[in-house]
Amino acid sequence: MMDPSWILYVGIFLGPFVQEDAAVIAAATLSAADPNHFPYIFGIILTGLFLSDIWKYWIGRAAHTSSRARAYAEREHVMEFRGKVRRNLIMTLMTARFVPLARIPVYVACGYFKVSYLRFCIVIFATALLYCTVIFALCHGLGELFGDRIEMIILPLGGLMIGIALIMVWIRRARKKN
């Protein structure tokens, strides 16, 4: 009989393609609940996270086929932003990794600004590795502290993170209106 955990592993791998933060937190929580699966879960979520991020670069590159997008890119403030992203790529991608709602626009911008794809992939892998390590360490640490009650802690914590992200979006939109 086949081990049914492969279905769970497929779900963990595909999770970042749907919602990265929730997938990583769920994988880390599963890993904390059953540490025997830690190396597999960690490797699978890291691979899924990496692959779910690197294709977004090509959306930006594909935008060069649009004359409208090229005209937008030639504006002075966009060219200035391009220089900043290219000069500070590591910090830009590190910040995007840990700031909710920043990843997709930054990854697409990297493709649009024709950042080296190899360099982009290396930095994305490093930030994904750091992010997974931090989330897994937090979940495993909380699991050690709270034991079986970890589910009661993670759910409100996840809700708090979503609430903070929504408040940040609301504040940003309110500032743009003024």
Side-chain angles (χ1 to χ4, degrees):
M1 183 171 195
M2 186 185 289
D3 182 13
S5 60
W6 73 270
I7 296 170
L8 180 63
Y9 292 156
V10 169
I12 290 170
F13 174 79
L14 295 175
F17 289 90
V18 177
Q19 211 298 322
E20 291 183 5
D21 296 320
V24 174
I25 291 169
T29 303
L30 284 170
S31 175
D34 187 359
N36 293 330
H37 290 275
F38 165 73
Y40 304 112
I41 291 175
F42 187 86
I44 291 167
I45 194 68
L46 178 60
T47 303
L49 186 61
F50 174 70
L51 293 176
S52 76
D53 287 341
I54 61 171
W55 72 270
K56 294 167 186 154
Y57 173 95
W58 294 105
I59 295 171
R61 284 300 281 260
H64 283 280
T65 61
S66 164
S67 60
R68 217 170 123 184
R70 277 193 312 275
Y72 179 78
E74 292 170 1
R75 292 183 179 170
E76 185 178 334
H77 70 282
V78 175
M79 293 302 280
E80 185 178 308
F81 183 63
R82 173 185 170 186
K84 289 178 183 178
V85 168
R86 293 180 94 176
R87 280 191 307 275
N88 302 303
L89 183 65
I90 294 171
M91 199 50 145
T92 300
L93 293 175
M94 184 68 69
T95 302
R97 171 66 66 195
F98 287 93
V99 174
L101 307 175
R103 285 183 208 120
I104 294 173
V106 170
Y107 298 168
V108 171
C110 286
Y112 192 77
F113 297 150
K114 296 183 179 178
V115 168
S116 161
Y117 187 62
L118 178 60
R119 188 167 179 227
F120 173 80
C121 288
I122 290 168
V123 176
I124 288 298
F125 182 79
T127 64
L129 179 62
L130 178 62
Y131 182 69
C132 286
T133 301
V134 167
I135 298 298
F136 272 70
L138 283 172
C139 287
H140 279 258
L142 289 172
E144 298 257 338
L145 280 173
F146 296 104
D148 291 340
R149 296 176 299 181
I150 188 71
E151 291 86 13
M152 293 186 302
I153 303 297
I154 293 295
L155 187 60
L157 187 61
L160 178 64
M161 288 174 55
I162 291 169
I164 290 170
L166 291 173
I167 289 169
M168 289 173 62
V169 168
W170 179 77
I171 290 170
R172 183 179 296 164
R173 286 186 180 171
R175 285 183 180 168
K176 284 183 180 181
K177 286 182 182 181
N178 293 332

